[in-house]
Amino acid sequence: MAAGRAARTRLNGLFAVYKPPGVASIRVRDTLETLLLKELNSLEQPTVPQQVRFLPTTVEGNAGKELTLTVTQLPVLAAHPLVKGPEFTHLKIGAGHRLDTKSSGVFVLGVGHGNKLLTDMYNAHLTRVCSGTEPVWGLLCVTPILTRNQGQAYTVRGLFGKATDDFSDTGRLIEKTTFDHITGDKLERILAVIQGTNHKALLMYSNIDLKTQEAYELAVEGLIRPMEKTPPLITAIRCLQFAPPEFQLEIQCVHETQQYLRKIVHEIGLELKSTAVCTQVRRIRDGFFTLDNALPRTHWNLQNIRNSIKDSKIKVKVGLQRSLSHQARSGKRHTDMDQVAESELHSTEGTSASDLTQNEITTC
């Protein structure tokens, strides 16, 4: 099965599909594996090998029927597809940032060596916070440009006037409230507070000194990001549509869950002296992949997935190298700082408190 093996060899990398709402992420992964295995096994079948056998036969001789051996070619049954089963029975397909059953949107998967790339994407903590032109010195965290972010981005729809037990419109109704007093300006002010609070947390978790040249350069390149696992962080949030009781937000974030985004909608309702439920969570970008790269259900086949892997290979490689090299530099910087601190600690060992005090007085 040379054709099948060649096709499987090219199935190494990352690709994205569009996950519809109401379907679990694991179900999408299993469906893709089944479809790909079916197509791989339907490619050109190899010729069943033949073997030479000496079979006993009877022939008419002078003394009547005589037993003799005849050379015959027979197929090797152990290699026959109907005996050994399909050639391909398993594909190593890994899932990236998962979407819960209620959510829809970009769902990134890795096949073959792409599973290692999924781990690299996770470790990169991809996000980008950057200004419209360049950062102001000392004020690195300014209004982001949404289209330049490389974290996760969602469009989230909400509905004012209701509260449920799970923050979604399908949950058990707990309360109904009025919403006539809510205006677009009030909503924008709440969103600004949320964004400002999260930006402060992002800078804290990024472990950078805002007074350094490195911080300035990172802000210019859009590489300010958390360097370890953190609580959910919103890097940007804005209102796309406001038509009470309905509204729509665009949210960029890292380390989030879809339930966390529904809770944000609930909390926005409370801050506006009302209530709100989430009616839709739709991921429009995950790292290097956007809705334009996500294959719809009708395009889930071997050829389209192979093309998607090929098209994304370069941008994934370049993006990960850029992100992970920044992490390596940052890790080395913190290691050097720790070594300096440890060296200073050792230099003070054996020195009495009075000596230290006297030295400080002399220095002053």
Side-chain angles (χ1 to χ4, degrees):
M1 187 171 287
R5 294 190 181 278
R8 183 172 181 176
T9 301
R10 291 192 290 271
L11 280 176
N12 280 294
L14 299 179
F15 66 98
V17 300
Y18 187 89
K19 189 194 90 65
V23 182
S25 295
I26 189 64
R27 177 94 175 268
V28 172
R29 195 213 72 86
D30 292 345
T31 300
L32 285 164
E33 181 180 16
T34 301
L35 292 173
L36 289 175
L37 287 174
K38 184 177 180 180
E39 285 200 58
L40 287 172
N41 287 313
S42 67
L43 297 176
E44 181 182 356
Q45 298 287 335
T47 303
V48 178
Q50 303 289 313
Q51 59 182 347
V52 176
R53 291 287 185 175
F54 294 91
L55 300 180
T57 58
T58 56
V59 295
E60 292 291 337
N62 296 330
K65 291 185 178 182
E66 297 179 355
L67 186 65
T68 184
L69 296 177
T70 303
V71 178
T72 307
Q73 279 194 338
L74 296 175
V76 179
L77 295 181
H80 197 282
L82 296 178
V83 175
K84 70 174 186 177
E87 178 74 12
F88 303 103
T89 59
H90 174 70
L91 275 178
K92 189 177 180 182
I93 299 180
H97 297 106
R98 297 179 183 269
L99 288 166
D100 61 24
T101 302
K102 296 179 181 179
S103 306
S104 62
V106 180
F107 182 38
V108 179
L109 300 107
V111 59
H113 300 321
N115 287 274
K116 172 64 168 57
L117 296 177
L118 283 177
T119 303
D120 291 340
M121 278 186 64
Y122 178 82
N123 292 335
H125 306 285
L126 290 175
T127 183
R128 174 172 292 188
V129 179
C130 48
S131 65
T133 52
E134 61 180 21
V136 179
W137 186 258
L139 296 174
L140 299 179
C141 194
V142 292
T143 304
I145 291 180
L146 297 177
T147 56
R148 294 182 62 188
N149 193 293
Q150 287 188 350
Q152 285 70 252
Y154 296 82
T155 55
V156 179
R157 291 185 178 274
L159 183 71
F160 289 121
K162 292 182 180 180
T164 61
D165 60 343
D166 64 356
F167 314 130
S168 74
D169 58 333
T170 59
R172 181 174 59 86
L173 183 64
I174 296 177
E175 183 183 6
K176 284 188 176 183
T177 56
T178 60
F179 53 85
D180 297 338
H181 61 283
I182 300 176
T183 64
D185 290 339
K186 291 181 179 179
L187 175 59
E188 291 288 355
R189 284 197 292 269
I190 296 300
L191 299 184
V193 171
I194 293 174
Q195 182 167 296
T197 303
N198 280 266
H199 279 183
K200 291 179 181 178
L202 176 62
L203 290 174
M204 180 183 68
Y205 286 116
S206 63
N207 295 329
I208 60 174
D209 185 355
L210 298 183
K211 298 179 181 179
T212 62
Q213 178 67 20
E214 180 190 20
Y216 179 85
E217 293 173 355
L218 290 177
V220 171
E221 297 177 11
L223 289 174
I224 296 179
R225 66 194 61 185
M227 302 311 299
E228 56 187 13
K229 182 65 176 177
T230 67
L233 293 174
I234 294 177
T235 60
I237 183 170
R238 65 171 177 171
C239 181
L240 298 179
Q241 181 184 5
F242 180 73
E246 298 180 355
F247 63 97
Q248 184 180 20
L249 308 175
E250 182 172 339
I251 302 177
Q252 295 183 8
C253 43
V254 290
H255 304 157
E256 81 296 337
T257 64
Q258 290 76 56
Q259 186 63 13
Y260 170 76
L261 299 178
R262 296 186 186 98
K263 186 178 179 181
I264 288 293
V265 171
H266 168 74
E267 292 177 349
I268 288 173
L270 296 180
E271 290 294 332
L272 291 169
K273 310 302 181 185
S274 181
T275 54
V277 294
C278 182
T279 59
Q280 183 192 59
V281 175
R282 183 172 181 245
R283 183 189 286 160
I284 59 176
R285 185 187 60 250
D286 186 1
F288 312 109
F289 297 90
T290 65
L291 286 175
D292 294 334
N293 311 126
L295 299 174
R297 177 63 180 83
T298 54
H299 290 184
W300 293 1
N301 57 57
L302 178 62
Q303 185 61 45
N304 287 325
I305 291 176
R306 198 163 56 189
N307 291 340
S308 180
I309 292 174
K310 181 180 177 182
D311 294 340
S312 65
K313 187 169 293 186
I314 294 178
K315 68 177 180 181
V316 169
K317 181 179 179 181
V318 172
L320 285 178
Q321 285 179 346
R322 184 166 176 260
S323 175
L324 295 177
S325 64
H326 157 59
Q327 287 192 346
R329 293 196 306 270
S330 178
K332 182 179 184 302
R333 173 169 53 83
H334 289 296
T335 300
D336 293 341
M337 293 174 62
D338 292 340
Q339 290 176 349
V340 170
E342 185 177 358
S343 176
E344 292 177 350
L345 178 63
H346 287 313
S347 66
T348 60
E349 289 182 355
T351 304
S352 64
S354 59
D355 292 338
L356 287 175
T357 304
Q358 183 62 37
N359 290 336
E360 291 174 359
I361 295 174
T362 304
T363 303
C364 295

